[in-house]
Amino acid sequence: MKPLTIHFISIGGSVMHNLAIALQQQGHHITGSDDEIHEPSHARLNQHGLLPAHIGWNPDAIHTGLDAVILGMHARADNPELQKAQELKLPVYSYPEFVYQQSQNKQRVVIAGSHGKTTITAMILHVLHYHKRNFDYLVGAQIEGFETMVKLTTDAPVIVIEGDEYGTSPIDPRPKFLHYHPHMVLISGIAWDHVNLYPTYDQYVHQFELLADAMSKSGTIVFDDTDDMLDVIALKEREDVTRQPYDVHPYRIENGKTVLVSKQHGDIPVLVFGEHNMKNISGALAICDHLAITEELFYAAIQTFKGASKRLEKVKDDGSTLVFRDFAHAPSKVEATTAAVKAQFPNRRLVACVELHTFSSLNKTFLKQYRDKLDKANVAVIFYSPHTLEIKHLDPIDAAEIATAFDRPDLQVFTDSAELETYLKSLSNDQPTVYLFMSSGTFGGLDLKTLF
């Protein structure tokens, strides 16, 4: 295939910079720009010679010699590079549209849902990689054993894609997953989030209805059988679509370790834990079965799966003190992750810390969705930055409103990371303790590795 010349507008995004690297490795000529590039994108782009010489937008980078322009979500609709590309009538793609264009001859598998999609995708990729299968992929987190979060080749017969419900680009508000046109889709569950995009629960659910309706003929939809809303979506009258429900994989916990229970294959020790992850394993197993991976092969591989980055990731374990960090921020994720840690370590004190960082979590109307979600924690702590509220143009919130929303009178609320650090260090460590930090942010720059 003739190498393409491609320019990335907003190359610093997590998926965008990985896609840029993946395409360069395929022999394409890549350029890019952005008005801010953070780590690890900065270092990785620099390593591959793709770091823009100057930070900021440069319309001169847009010219008729480009075969394609890929537009990231971080850019704005009035971006000067985008405007010039439109004036020159260059092909402008969002990254989901470009990935679809490059994978039309592949079997496309999309993993969607409000929670668990990154982990399920990572499990499938781990199993395929373990058994040396040839496949392409797009996943939303770094996975051990994979150099990039994106792989896009000409010869792989299948591509596994984590498909999210966020908007596609500044000029296309539709969910990304609608652009992939999957032959097989897994929907892990539906729990309202992203109120800035979907102000009502019904609007949010409707996006998944559109995904199910868009399934190709003879397609397969795999879904969580315990989710009532998914039952409605997945069981719509589509005689041409195969429907396959899944549930929690049978398991037991022994001395802080989780073991899968299988009648045919015996006990299978795994490194991940929590009922939500046992569902994730069942979903991944169902998809792998359709990709010609037998149960025996799946169980052989899943034993070495350590999890995706920042998904119940162990930061420290000195015997008496355990520290985990998790990407959980939506209410359903906070509840599932907290319950998982408490079930795994029932005899330890659980200190659960949540950072309210996203638009939804800092929205006064949405806050009540967190009611009772930290009930399993012995000590419950909330952190948020008033500066983040200002940036997102949201109304101020006080500690009393947050405690009421969580229905937790003993809730500890902090807006200063130094004060949060002092409080956590003041907690008596005369009993075995698990510290669980849940956020898509950084708790104001708190260094979890050196905190205890």
Side-chain angles (χ1 to χ4, degrees):
M1 187 180 73
K2 173 181 172 289
L4 302 175
T5 301
I6 305 169
H7 181 78
F8 282 70
I9 300 176
S10 190
I11 196 171
S14 61
V15 172
M16 288 283 282
H17 88 273
N18 273 281
L19 179 58
I21 293 169
L23 290 174
Q24 184 195 57
Q25 291 172 339
Q26 289 299 310
H28 302 296
H29 179 65
I30 306 298
T31 59
S33 57
D34 213 322
D35 61 351
E36 57 178 1
I37 302 178
H38 302 292
E39 295 297 354
S41 303
H42 189 281
R44 299 188 75 237
L45 286 170
N46 190 43
Q47 176 189 348
H48 291 274
L50 292 174
L51 188 68
H54 305 285
I55 295 298
W57 309 117
N58 176 24
D60 290 339
I62 307 299
H63 53 83
T64 54
L66 293 173
D67 295 299
V69 173
I70 301 180
L71 175 65
M73 193 63 194
H74 171 67
R76 296 166 59 100
D78 61 356
N79 183 284
E81 293 184 10
L82 171 61
Q83 290 181 330
K84 186 172 179 182
Q86 291 170 328
E87 288 168 8
L88 294 176
K89 294 183 169 51
L90 296 174
V92 177
Y93 301 95
S94 62
Y95 81 70
E97 290 172 313
F98 186 83
V99 168
Y100 170 69
Q101 288 296 326
Q102 298 298 305
S103 60
Q104 291 188 59
N105 296 324
K106 303 178 187 292
Q107 182 184 22
R108 293 179 300 281
V109 180
V110 171
I111 311 302
S114 305
H115 40 251
K117 56 183 173 288
T118 301
T119 298
I120 295 171
T121 307
M123 287 175 174
I124 296 166
L125 301 193
H126 176 84
V127 172
L128 293 175
H129 179 68
Y130 183 94
H131 291 294
K132 297 180 171 55
R133 297 298 173 92
N134 184 20
F135 64 99
D136 286 347
Y137 60 84
L138 187 158
V139 63
Q142 202 63 48
I143 308 169
E144 186 173 295
F146 291 79
E147 183 187 351
T148 60
M149 293 158 53
V150 182
K151 183 184 175 190
L152 205 53
T153 65
T154 56
D155 61 331
V158 62
I159 182 168
V160 182
I161 302 169
E162 178 184 344
D164 69 59
E165 64 273 29
Y166 288 102
T168 296
S169 80
I171 56 176
D172 184 355
R174 291 173 295 173
K176 293 187 188 75
F177 56 41
L178 291 183
H179 292 287
Y180 297 124
H181 308 286
H183 302 99
M184 191 186 317
V185 67
L186 179 148
I187 307 180
S188 62
I190 299 178
W192 184 32
D193 196 8
H194 319 314
V195 294
N196 50 326
L197 294 174
Y198 311 113
T200 69
Y201 176 75
D202 288 343
Q203 285 175 300
Y204 183 69
V205 170
H206 183 57
Q207 310 311 310
F208 293 91
E209 291 178 324
L210 293 174
L211 176 61
D213 289 344
M215 285 296 300
S216 61
K217 288 185 176 181
S218 302
T220 299
I221 180 166
V222 177
F223 62 99
D224 177 0
D225 198 30
T226 67
D227 190 303
D228 292 339
M229 185 51 64
L230 274 181
D231 245 5
V232 173
I233 292 172
L235 297 179
K236 282 187 169 185
E237 291 302 319
R238 283 286 303 273
E239 295 303 322
D240 56 335
V241 172
T242 301
R243 298 177 291 269
Q244 182 176 344
Y246 66 90
D247 206 329
V248 178
H249 194 293
Y251 73 103
R252 68 175 184 275
I253 301 170
E254 293 178 347
N255 302 318
K257 305 291 184 184
T258 295
V259 177
L260 302 180
V261 178
S262 168
K263 290 180 180 178
Q264 278 189 305
H265 304 283
D267 292 346
I268 302 104
V270 288
L271 300 174
V272 294
F273 63 88
E275 185 167 290
H276 65 298
N277 271 327
M278 300 306 104
K279 278 189 188 180
N280 292 340
I281 285 174
S282 284
L285 175 59
I287 293 292
C288 284
D289 179 59
H290 288 284
L291 298 177
I293 296 286
T294 64
E295 279 193 3
E296 184 177 4
L297 292 175
F298 179 87
Y299 289 135
I302 202 65
Q303 297 179 52
T304 54
F305 176 72
K306 294 180 180 178
S309 176
K310 297 181 182 177
R311 270 67 177 183
L312 270 179
E313 181 179 0
K314 189 186 294 183
V315 177
K316 179 176 181 177
D317 182 2
D318 65 6
S320 64
T321 300
L322 260 172
V323 181
F324 289 96
R325 64 178 170 185
D326 193 271
F327 197 69
H329 49 80
S332 61
K333 297 176 184 178
V334 168
E335 182 178 37
T337 303
T338 305
V341 174
K342 191 60 182 176
Q344 195 75 2
F345 307 101
N347 299 321
R348 292 179 181 245
R349 175 181 59 173
L350 173 56
V351 179
C353 306
V354 176
E355 179 180 11
L356 303 179
H357 181 71
T358 65
F359 185 97
S360 297
S361 66
L362 290 165
N363 183 289
K364 282 189 178 185
T365 304
F366 187 80
L367 256 181
K368 60 187 178 183
Q369 301 292 324
Y370 286 95
R371 184 182 181 88
D372 302 330
K373 298 299 186 272
L374 286 175
D375 280 3
K376 297 292 184 182
N378 301 103
V379 179
V381 181
I382 298 297
F383 172 81
Y384 71 97
S385 167
H387 180 60
T388 304
L389 284 164
E390 293 173 14
I391 292 172
K392 297 181 186 295
H393 304 293
L394 291 166
D395 294 333
I397 307 171
D398 61 39
E401 289 175 304
I402 294 173
T404 299
F406 277 81
D407 193 21
R408 182 98 190 210
D410 64 340
L411 192 70
Q412 302 291 318
V413 181
F414 296 90
T415 58
D416 181 273
S417 60
E419 291 178 5
L420 170 62
E421 181 174 355
T422 299
Y423 170 75
L424 291 172
K425 288 182 174 178
S426 74
L427 293 174
S428 171
N429 282 325
D430 59 358
Q431 57 181 306
T433 302
V434 184
Y435 292 90
L436 171 61
F437 293 88
M438 294 174 279
S439 175
S440 57
T442 64
F443 287 90
L446 210 59
D447 187 347
L448 303 184
K449 292 182 179 179
T450 61
L451 186 58
F452 301 104

